[in-house]
Amino acid sequence: MPLPSGAPFPSGGAGAGAAGAVTAALGELRARFAGIRHGEVASYIPELTRADPDAFGLALVSMDGHLYSAGDARTPFTVQSVSKPFVYALALAELGLDEVSAWVSAEPSGEAFNAINLEHGTGRPANAMVNAGALVASSLVPDTPDRPRFERILAFLGRFAGRALDVDEAVYRSESGTGDRNRALAYLIRSAGRLPADPVTATETYFRQCAVRVTAVDLAVMAATLAHGGVNPVTGDRVVTDEVAARVLAVMATCGMYDASGEWLLRVGLPAKSGVSGGLIAAGPARFGLASYSPPLDAAGTSVRGRSAFAALSERLGLHLMLNPALPGSTVTLVTTGEDPPPGSGAGERGRVAVVAAQGALDFTAAERVLYGLDEAGSGGAPSVVLDLRQVNGIEPVAYAMLRQGLARLERAGHHVALADPAGRLGAPPGGEGVPPGGEGAPAGGGGPSSGDALPDGGPPVDPPLVGPPNFASRDEAVARCAREGDGQRS
């Protein structure tokens, strides 16, 4: 559940504790870039000119909900265009991707945030991050007598932030009083048949959306919620599904920084969204949410200090999306082919039992590495193969199906197969003789394929059903069992 307005967030600490090193790193970045003096505070909304040009705050929230901040991270300001990804998420959650895409595209525009330009032939705005697309996304949110559209938007933004938010009425009035360009956009989109609301209503809702009051801490929590697959890491509230969060991050990555999106993705490499009040967010999927506040903007409408700090942090910590910090062999920790005895066994096991050991969470990519290791192990002539999963902490359904298929193939090729899988993630609990796929050995929380060894896409099994191999609490037990079975086969 959302925290009440003003509730404190868990802090990573700024003192002498080990976690204080993260806060110190943010403080160093702030100190490094606080002296930047170029950039202009937004003036086309008169009330925004009242912002302190020297204000500069940074905040980071981890996937465990730990908060780290430096400088003016709790100074309130209006969210402006940083609201756009989250309202787009609400539209996707309410209507689905196909319906939303019929009204607004997802292509980079290569133009400024307030460009007057619609897709030829359809009249759709280019994407939901530019003003034209944001007006459409906001208008797609359901509007009912018992729950008006803006009430839904405000509550939804609050769930992302983990606390109740409110509107800066002075900024709203200032924005509404000078918002003729956005009104013109709304009428143009309406004339093209792509605005599902009255233009006046649509623009007033959008102005109020942009005037919602936040802090850099709030924005870091909001970005972290997207990075965490739609689950707020502070409150534990599932705000949107994994699929919605992924789609929003994809549009942020390609369109979130307007006509500077390509340069941003090239140099910083993180899904991001800027706002003309000086807010800036970035999300490291499954890693963190990052936010800054500093009012002076560059020509593209991005906070100058925030942009510099995010770029430096990305380079320093290797945060670019296209960098793969996982070493190719990190999933498979051991492969023996039978020519050498498995670790911990005697020389008598030479040539009789091969071992493959894996660690971590197994997804499609990790499962492919394990399967390759099983092939390598089985190619050395050993009649038996042990798959050691003691250090595995999770198996996704697609990986579960792939591994069961791989073990079935080894058995049909004449190998004895056993598991060292005390958690029962792939087979029956230790001591059992195996279970059909999708039985009690299936992955917790989602289950493996329910019949045969079908991949979880609704298609038929690739191979006949496999009764799972015997499972043991330790690798030594599994090796000893396989060795005995091999002796029995030879006798």
Side-chain angles (χ1 to χ4, degrees):
M1 295 296 292
L3 296 174
S5 179
F9 288 98
S11 174
V22 181
T23 302
L26 294 179
E28 291 170 8
L29 282 173
R30 184 183 183 279
R32 177 178 170 186
F33 297 110
I36 292 178
R37 293 298 171 211
H38 59 275
E40 299 291 335
V41 175
S43 59
Y44 74 96
I45 300 172
E47 192 68 18
L48 295 186
T49 63
R50 297 165 60 89
D52 178 3
D54 293 326
F56 184 22
L58 293 166
L60 183 147
V61 172
S62 75
M63 296 298 89
D64 296 315
H66 303 153
L67 165 67
Y68 308 91
S69 64
D72 302 301
R74 295 184 184 273
T75 297
F77 58 97
T78 53
V79 66
Q80 298 299 325
S81 289
V82 181
S83 64
K84 293 173 181 175
F86 305 100
V87 176
Y88 180 57
L90 176 55
L92 289 173
E94 292 282 356
L95 303 178
L97 178 62
D98 290 343
E99 177 64 18
V100 173
S101 296
W103 294 90
V104 60
S105 186
E107 296 296 331
S109 69
E111 296 185 291
F113 67 95
N114 59 356
I116 300 177
N117 189 17
L118 303 177
E119 185 179 61
H120 179 71
T122 69
R124 295 185 303 172
N127 60 73
M129 301 299 106
V130 294
N131 287 9
L135 283 163
V136 173
S138 175
S139 298
L140 286 171
V141 175
D143 184 29
T144 59
D146 61 317
R147 197 152 187 223
R149 178 176 291 123
F150 181 70
E151 182 180 307
R152 293 175 189 260
I153 291 172
L154 184 62
F156 197 68
L157 293 176
R159 290 178 65 193
F160 268 104
R163 70 180 186 96
L165 302 175
D166 62 6
V167 174
D168 187 321
E169 295 293 343
V171 172
Y172 162 67
R173 290 190 297 270
S174 182
E175 193 151 357
S176 180
T178 57
D180 288 344
R181 188 180 183 92
N182 283 322
R183 292 188 181 93
L185 272 173
Y187 278 103
L188 177 65
I189 301 165
R190 181 71 166 179
S191 72
R194 284 295 178 266
L195 188 68
D198 172 74
V200 174
T201 302
T203 50
E204 291 306 309
T205 300
Y206 177 67
F207 294 149
R208 293 192 72 83
Q209 166 190 319
C210 291
V212 169
R213 192 160 21 209
V214 294
T215 67
V217 167
D218 293 327
L219 293 185
V221 177
M222 295 169 79
T225 300
L226 289 175
H228 199 222
V231 176
N232 187 312
V234 174
T235 66
D237 178 21
R238 174 165 284 287
V239 185
V240 293
T241 64
D242 290 328
E243 291 79 9
V244 167
R247 286 162 178 160
V248 172
L249 289 173
V251 175
M252 288 172 62
T254 56
C255 309
M257 303 299 283
Y258 308 127
D259 46 339
S261 293
E263 186 74 9
W264 175 275
L265 190 59
L266 176 67
R267 296 186 180 276
V268 182
L270 293 170
K273 187 71 198 76
S274 58
V276 295
S277 58
L280 179 63
I281 63 170
R287 295 202 260 180
F288 59 84
L290 182 63
S292 69
Y293 169 59
S294 179
L297 310 176
D298 63 17
T302 302
S303 169
V304 175
R305 298 188 189 110
R307 181 197 64 203
S308 299
F310 283 24
L313 190 66
S314 177
E315 181 178 6
R316 175 178 173 182
L317 301 183
L319 303 179
H320 199 293
L321 276 179
M322 306 308 169
L323 291 176
N324 181 9
L327 297 176
S330 62
T331 297
V332 177
T333 60
L334 174 70
V335 176
T336 69
T337 63
E339 297 176 0
D340 297 315
S345 61
E349 308 294 347
R350 184 185 300 275
R352 301 165 68 191
V353 183
V355 174
V356 175
Q359 67 177 3
L362 304 186
D363 58 7
F364 167 81
T365 303
E368 183 276 330
R369 293 171 183 161
V370 174
L371 292 174
Y372 192 89
L374 288 169
D375 280 344
E376 184 180 357
S379 68
S384 301
V385 178
V386 170
L387 178 57
D388 183 354
L389 300 175
R390 292 174 300 158
Q391 299 303 312
V392 168
N393 54 34
I395 303 178
E396 292 187 3
V398 67
Y400 177 92
M402 291 168 64
L403 292 173
R404 296 296 292 246
Q405 289 178 23
L407 295 176
R409 289 172 179 273
L410 283 176
E411 288 193 329
R412 286 194 293 276
H415 293 282
H416 293 286
V417 177
L419 299 173
D421 181 21
R425 299 186 187 279
L426 191 62
E433 289 299 314
V435 293
E440 61 179 304
S450 58
S451 63
D453 286 307
L455 292 175
D457 60 1
V462 175
D463 296 303
L466 163 71
V467 173
N471 186 16
F472 302 89
S474 73
R475 185 165 69 198
D476 290 346
E477 291 179 86
V479 168
R481 169 66 176 270
C482 282
R484 289 197 301 271
E485 289 188 352
D487 289 342
Q489 187 182 55
R490 286 192 293 269
S491 62

